[in-house]
């Protein structure tokens, strides 16, 4: 498989993963705002299904990213400061991804303690991280 195909697949799965990462906290906002039991039950289903739907995209993003690093080699990795910064941010995104799962479980167990405002704020976090990751990957400032 050529490097360009690997990059294309890496970017594709990253975009698919981010679509879910952007949408799941939005579901949390609406879930936290409702008091209707039937609506809450529907949100529980949607949240669980979405998290499990996007998790393979997160895994495949990592697989193709690691494959690319392997192809470029360790000497390239050592001198690519921008990649070290990107990988740090990506690691934070995986922590965020699993934090979202924790929140899915809290909603499923009816133990949510956060407001809709909290979910609006955490909905914006991955946008900023994505901006930084794209700048690092495209501009390679260091």
């Amino acid at each position: 498989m050529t490097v360009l195909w690997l990059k294309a697949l890496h970017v594709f799965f990253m975009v698919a993963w981010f679509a879910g990462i952007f949408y799941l906290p939005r579901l949390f906002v609406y879930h936290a705002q409702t008091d209707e039991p039937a609506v809450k039950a529907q949100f529980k289903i949607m949240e669980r299904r979405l998290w499990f739907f996007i998790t393979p995209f997160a895994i495949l993003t990592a697989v193709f990213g690691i494959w690319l690093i392997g192809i470029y080699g360790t000497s390239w990795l050592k001198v690519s400061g921008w990649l070290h910064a990107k990988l740090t941010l990506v690691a934070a995104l995986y922590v965020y991804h699993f934090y979202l799962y924790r929140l899915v479980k809290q909603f499923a167990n009816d133990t949510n303690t956060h407001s809709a405002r909290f979910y609006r704020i955490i909905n914006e976090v991955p946008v900023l991280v994505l901006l930084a990751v794209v700048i690092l990957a495209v501009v390679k400032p260091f």
Side-chain angles (χ1 to χ4, degrees):
M1 187 173 287
T2 69
V3 170
L4 293 179
W5 277 103
L6 291 175
K7 284 182 182 181
L9 290 170
H10 177 65
V11 170
F12 170 78
F13 287 115
M14 181 273 303
V15 169
W17 178 32
F18 264 89
I21 279 185
F22 291 152
Y23 188 52
L24 187 54
R26 181 54 48 187
L27 289 176
F28 294 158
V29 169
Y30 302 137
H31 194 159
Q33 289 176 332
T34 190
D35 292 324
E36 295 293 324
V39 175
K40 285 182 180 240
Q42 185 62 42
F43 278 125
K44 289 176 187 181
I45 293 167
M46 293 170 66
E47 292 157 358
R48 183 181 56 78
R49 286 182 179 170
L50 180 58
W51 193 87
F52 282 104
F53 180 74
I54 65 171
T55 297
F57 299 145
I59 293 166
L60 289 167
T61 299
V63 166
F64 287 107
I66 292 166
W67 195 346
L68 282 165
I69 291 170
I71 286 176
Y72 281 107
T74 56
S75 59
W76 171 80
L77 176 62
K78 288 178 186 175
V79 297
S80 299
W82 65 270
L83 184 58
H84 294 227
K86 177 189 168 194
L87 291 173
T88 300
L89 291 172
V90 168
L93 284 170
Y94 281 95
V95 169
Y96 179 81
H97 180 86
F98 286 100
Y99 178 65
L100 292 178
Y101 181 69
R102 182 174 167 221
L103 296 173
V104 166
K105 296 300 276 183
Q106 286 177 358
F107 274 113
N109 296 326
D110 295 319
T111 57
N112 172 51
T113 59
H114 300 294
S115 68
R117 184 173 188 270
F118 170 81
Y119 295 114
R120 282 190 186 94
I121 292 168
I122 69 161
N123 193 37
E124 303 306 321
V125 171
V127 174
L128 300 173
V129 175
L130 177 61
L131 175 63
V133 165
V134 168
I135 289 170
L136 288 166
V138 174
V139 178
K140 297 175 178 58
F142 48 90

